[in-house]
Amino acid sequence: MNSNINNLNSRRGQSSPQRQQGRQAAQSWRTVIFLICAFCTGIFYERALNPCLFDDFIVQTKTAKDKNNGNLRSNFNSLPQKQFAAAAALSSSGPQDQNEKMRQWDNWPAIAYEEVQHALVTKGDSFFNQARELYYQKTQQPNNNNNDKQQQTLMDEFLKVYKNRPDQTNLCGIRINHALALFLAVKQINPTLVVESGVNAGVSTYIIRAASPTTKIFAIDPLAKPICGQGKRWVDPSDLTTNYWGENFTDLLDLDWNGMIAKKEVDPASTLVFLDDHLHTYNRIAGVRKFGLRHVVVEDNYKLGEGATPFDKKSTPKQMFHGEQWKKEGDWLFDNTVAYAEFPPLVPPIMAAASKGKRKEAGGFMVAADDNKDIVHPMLRPDLNEDDMKLYTHVADTLGYDAALVDNESYMQFMNYNQICHLELKSDEEKTTIDN
């Protein structure tokens, strides 16, 4: 792959330092791909050694599914029943108590602080904070069968898109929670360009295109084929998508941003960068910020001490904001951010109470025993609210999953959550330097 990259750099007339940067980027990508492959191989070995945890990995039998659905409510019988009635009157998405420095929710232990050095940080007004309202507000849509209009939610639209995704399992890629976040980000920002760093099987490319048929997409990946045995990559048929992968690979930070911006081929203010590459996230955010790019979504926003690769363990926004050893970087990132928010998981970890799966050391998955002090309030509270239970089971049934999350595929779909976040960075006039 090095020869392909060097030839590509030579054709573009890059200087020796630029060629060296290209080689370094390629080496970083190769290291990350090796580690991700090893991580996914570990998942397969766990399936082989513990088949009882992975029965019916893709599809449950109807008998088992009906049994689990019937027992779903019984999983929560030990909870105080008065909570159900009390929660029914609450909004499940918004904070119930708030001041200038923190954000709190009823019946949820986490506190989001508007300052660094905390496990959960927030800043400004991000659309991620209104995820429930945005997904469940009803709009009038034309009815194909007659001239009348029918009410539809953004969740209805998303479910149709997600149900038809090209890779149903997407072992080494985004699942429901992160797909919801990416879909909403594209809908709300309405970007003229989405730069996707880390393509793998193409599911995130598919989600981006489904959310916006008019945006340009730069799809970046050093490999021409997906890892994790995921078969053939989905390739966007739109001529608005440029594929920087395989022999055409060019790293995110090696693109000719200055040239494209000068030619008005790219509008930095309306460009969204989607980072799913497991490289040094903080450096990549700071790197795109130099070119004036304003919006970044970080897919794998690992907690302190977690991560699938060495970079994952020392570079995410959540780590920079929390870890004392990265206070300088955390201060700079916070100061140069207009808004920062983590997308809420669809449902809380307690919904996996029936799952026998173990906590993954690398992180990225919720388990029923989580204390929930470092993640935001979920979109839905089916553990407390009967109406939310109906909304949740509708999602699970529509997509063909078990709402009790007994089988591993259902568990992975709903409990795969890595604090995916959106950052709106300050403009050139507002930003401060890293040295400050």
Side-chain angles (χ1 to χ4, degrees):
M1 185 177 292
N2 265 342
S3 61
N4 293 330
I5 294 169
N6 290 338
N7 289 337
L8 215 80
N9 290 339
S10 298
R11 289 197 298 271
R12 292 191 172 106
Q14 291 186 346
S15 64
S16 178
Q18 288 173 308
R19 288 198 299 272
Q20 184 178 0
Q21 289 176 357
R23 287 193 294 269
Q24 291 173 344
Q27 182 59 45
S28 296
W29 275 94
R30 280 197 296 272
T31 302
V32 164
I33 290 168
F34 172 80
L35 291 168
I36 295 299
C37 286
F39 175 72
C40 291
T41 301
I43 293 178
F44 280 120
Y45 274 119
E46 188 177 358
R47 286 181 62 196
L49 295 173
N50 300 281
C52 62
L53 302 183
F54 296 91
D55 289 343
D56 304 316
F57 185 70
I58 303 300
V59 181
Q60 276 191 256
T61 64
K62 185 177 186 300
T63 301
K65 184 175 178 181
D66 289 345
K67 180 180 179 181
N68 289 330
N69 284 342
N71 292 334
L72 180 58
R73 174 56 65 191
S74 66
N75 291 330
F76 307 103
N77 283 343
S78 59
L79 295 175
Q81 293 301 307
K82 64 181 181 180
Q83 288 182 332
F84 288 93
L90 297 177
S91 167
S92 298
S93 59
Q96 302 302 319
D97 184 22
Q98 182 174 332
N99 60 36
E100 292 180 357
K101 290 294 184 181
M102 67 179 62
R103 188 177 173 88
Q104 296 176 273
W105 300 266
D106 275 355
N107 295 309
W108 193 251
I111 300 175
Y113 293 89
E114 195 155 339
E115 60 185 17
V116 299
Q117 297 293 283
H118 294 282
L120 183 58
V121 170
T122 188
K123 185 176 182 180
D125 185 19
S126 171
F127 50 83
F128 274 8
N129 293 330
Q130 286 81 47
R132 179 189 172 107
E133 289 82 354
L134 292 171
Y135 262 112
Y136 281 102
Q137 65 185 2
K138 294 183 178 180
T139 58
Q140 298 292 331
Q141 300 290 335
N143 190 328
N144 295 330
N145 298 324
N146 51 55
N147 294 328
D148 296 334
K149 291 186 176 181
Q150 58 184 356
Q151 289 189 330
Q152 181 174 316
T153 67
L154 186 61
M155 183 62 76
D156 295 326
E157 181 182 348
F158 170 81
L159 291 177
K160 292 177 183 177
V161 169
Y162 195 72
K163 187 174 183 178
N164 293 300
R165 65 197 182 280
D167 187 318
Q168 292 291 298
T169 299
N170 201 23
L171 183 61
C172 289
I174 63 174
R175 297 185 180 89
I176 292 172
N177 289 310
H178 291 193
L180 281 163
L182 179 59
F183 193 75
L184 184 64
V186 175
K187 286 288 188 181
Q188 287 295 303
I189 297 170
N190 192 24
T192 55
L193 169 66
V194 178
V195 186
E196 177 194 14
S197 185
V199 177
N200 199 36
V203 175
S204 50
T205 314
Y206 164 81
I207 295 293
I208 295 165
R209 178 56 67 213
S212 174
T214 60
T215 186
K216 292 190 295 184
I217 299 175
F218 290 171
I220 301 173
D221 199 294
L223 299 183
K225 297 180 180 180
I227 60 174
C228 301
Q230 290 187 237
K232 189 176 181 181
R233 172 176 292 162
W234 184 84
V235 180
D236 186 10
S238 172
D239 58 5
L240 293 174
T241 294
T242 303
N243 296 311
Y244 291 100
W245 38 261
E247 292 187 354
N248 294 321
F249 169 66
T250 304
D251 185 64
L252 165 68
L253 299 181
D254 292 330
L255 292 170
D256 184 16
W257 290 108
N258 289 328
M260 290 186 292
I261 293 171
K263 295 175 184 177
K264 299 191 182 303
E265 297 173 349
V266 169
D267 174 19
S270 62
T271 294
L272 168 62
V273 177
F274 177 59
L275 295 178
D276 188 15
D277 52 27
H278 296 269
L279 297 175
H280 199 290
T281 305
Y282 172 82
N283 287 346
R284 293 173 87 69
I285 293 173
V288 300
R289 180 64 199 88
K290 292 178 181 178
F291 301 110
L293 278 60
R294 299 286 303 279
H295 293 281
V296 180
V297 169
V298 178
E299 200 261 340
D300 290 297
N301 189 25
Y302 285 99
K303 301 176 184 179
L304 206 61
E306 296 183 347
T309 72
F311 286 136
D312 287 340
K313 298 176 181 179
K314 59 180 181 182
S315 70
T316 70
K318 195 171 184 70
Q319 293 163 353
M320 298 298 101
F321 290 147
H322 189 193
E324 185 177 354
Q325 64 271 46
W326 296 302
K327 187 176 187 306
K328 177 181 177 182
E329 291 83 355
D331 284 340
W332 178 85
L333 188 58
F334 191 83
D335 290 343
N336 279 278
T337 299
V338 175
Y340 169 83
E342 297 171 14
F343 188 83
L346 182 65
V347 295
I350 191 61
M351 299 309 296
S355 172
K356 296 180 175 64
K358 297 179 180 179
R359 184 188 303 277
K360 293 173 174 57
E361 291 184 9
F365 287 85
M366 301 183 294
V367 297
D370 285 345
D371 63 18
N372 304 320
K373 293 181 179 180
D374 51 9
I375 64 173
V376 296
H377 188 283
M379 287 175 60
L380 303 177
R381 291 301 304 272
D383 55 323
L384 298 181
N385 188 301
E386 294 287 356
D387 289 337
D388 281 9
M389 177 64 84
K390 293 177 183 178
L391 293 174
Y392 167 52
T393 53
H394 171 71
V395 171
D397 291 345
T398 300
L399 298 176
Y401 294 116
D402 166 30
L405 309 185
V406 174
D407 69 289
N408 189 66
E409 177 64 7
S410 298
Y411 166 81
M412 291 178 71
Q413 282 292 335
F414 287 95
M415 293 293 112
N416 179 204
Y417 173 70
N418 212 2
Q419 300 78 233
I420 183 171
C421 65
H422 166 246
L423 302 95
E424 180 182 351
L425 303 174
K426 289 184 177 179
S427 64
D428 289 332
E429 295 77 17
E430 299 171 310
K431 70 177 182 179
T432 59
T433 63
I434 295 179
D435 291 336
N436 288 343

